[in-house]
Amino acid sequence: MIAALNRLVDQIEAHLSDDLDISAFAAGAGTTEYHLRRMFSTLTGMPLSEYVRRRRMTVAAADLVGSDDLLSIAVRYGYGSTEAFGRAFRAVHGVSPADVRRDGGPLRTQPHIRFHLTVEGNTTMDTRIVDRPAFRLIGHATRVPLQHHGVNPHIQAHIAALPASEHERLKGLSTSEPVGLLQVSDDVDPDYTEGSPLTYLHGVAVTTEEQIPADLDIIDVEGGTWAVFRAEGEYPARLQEVWAATASDWFPSHPWSLRPGPSIVAVLERSADFRSAVCELWLPVERV
């Protein structure tokens, strides 16, 4: 995976003035576009599309000090107008192309990223691989913005709006693994962009044969393989650390890649104030 990511950034450098077919590259690297984008964004802290934009604007800034007209530079980097190019340029550098031509800056350079695998061996990840037939996730769903760190207030408000009796009713409906009340994230942006919308469902897992109450939302989940990671400690910090470590430590060391599907958190135990918990993170995977 590390080698594939380094080849990817090299290919991006070679295609700054045109569009790289990420899907074709991923297939040639023996992985999927979904997995490649998720690993890139998790390891770098930025979406792949944002990295491409920053690199293009970094190189474009050097072109601005030359004699080429602004429209030629805009078209060279995939923009149909000077206005669109100017907006993208300002978003990266904080100044307009005209400012750079006049004053030479200031500029914000995005370096060429290189990935390295550092093996420390001081953190053990409690993981199991399970095969599950198709099942359904049922409960109460809403659209919320993705948040990488801390408690998501939108999810918190969604759960708080449910009466205690509804939590008990949901738990009584659970008939399949993952067991208990679940925190489900679905329809997540492949680039895992902070603030991008996703579907959050608070509910349980049931078999495909169960009759579903009419007032509940449903997510159908295909059968397949899941990597299950145990997280124990401060909540949600420890869970988010384990989630990040799947990209930085686990996937680069194992012959598995993410496949499309919901990510599921099962809360097995929790303190009264929910400041600590024992959780399982379920991620859909496939063998590379």
Side-chain angles (χ1 to χ4, degrees), residues 178-211:
V179 298
L181 282 174
L182 308 175
Q183 303 168 357
V184 181
S185 298
D186 196 25
D187 294 328
V188 182
D189 174 22
D191 275 336
Y192 214 54
T193 308
E194 178 98 10
S196 60
L198 62 89
T199 297
Y200 174 83
L201 180 138
H202 182 75
V204 296
V206 299
T207 63
T208 55
E209 293 80 20
E210 298 294 329
Q211 291 294 318

Side-chain angles (χ1 to χ4, degrees), residues 114-135:
R114 302 303 298 174
F115 293 89
H116 302 278
L117 178 61
T118 301
V119 180
E120 296 180 344
N122 59 353
T123 302
T124 300
M125 297 190 72
D126 187 349
T127 313
R128 57 193 174 100
I129 302 294
V130 297
D131 288 313
R132 298 289 299 128
F135 60 94

Side-chain angles (χ1 to χ4, degrees), residues 32-76:
T32 65
E33 179 180 358
Y34 180 86
H35 182 67
L36 202 65
R37 287 183 179 274
R38 286 289 296 272
M39 291 301 99
F40 185 96
S41 61
T42 303
L43 290 171
T44 64
M46 78 177 90
L48 178 59
S49 56
E50 175 65 13
Y51 173 71
V52 172
R53 184 167 69 101
R54 291 184 185 182
R55 282 298 301 152
R56 281 177 172 168
M57 293 303 100
T58 295
V59 178
D63 291 353
L64 284 171
V65 302
S67 58
D68 290 351
D69 65 273
L70 191 58
L71 181 58
S72 296
I73 297 174
V75 171
R76 184 179 306 152

Side-chain angles (χ1 to χ4, degrees), residues 38-39 42-43 123-128 148-149 192 227-252 258 263-266 277-283:
R38 286 289 296 272
M39 291 301 99
T42 303
L43 290 171
T123 302
T124 300
M125 297 190 72
D126 187 349
T127 313
R128 57 193 174 100
H148 292 160
H149 304 289
Y192 214 54
V228 183
F229 304 88
R230 187 179 177 90
E232 183 173 354
E234 183 182 353
Y235 182 88
R238 178 56 186 155
L239 174 63
Q240 291 166 341
E241 288 173 2
V242 169
W243 205 314
T246 64
S248 61
D249 299 339
W250 195 82
F251 279 110
L258 283 167
S263 55
I264 304 170
V265 174
V278 178
C279 305
E280 283 187 342
L281 169 62
W282 289 61
L283 297 179

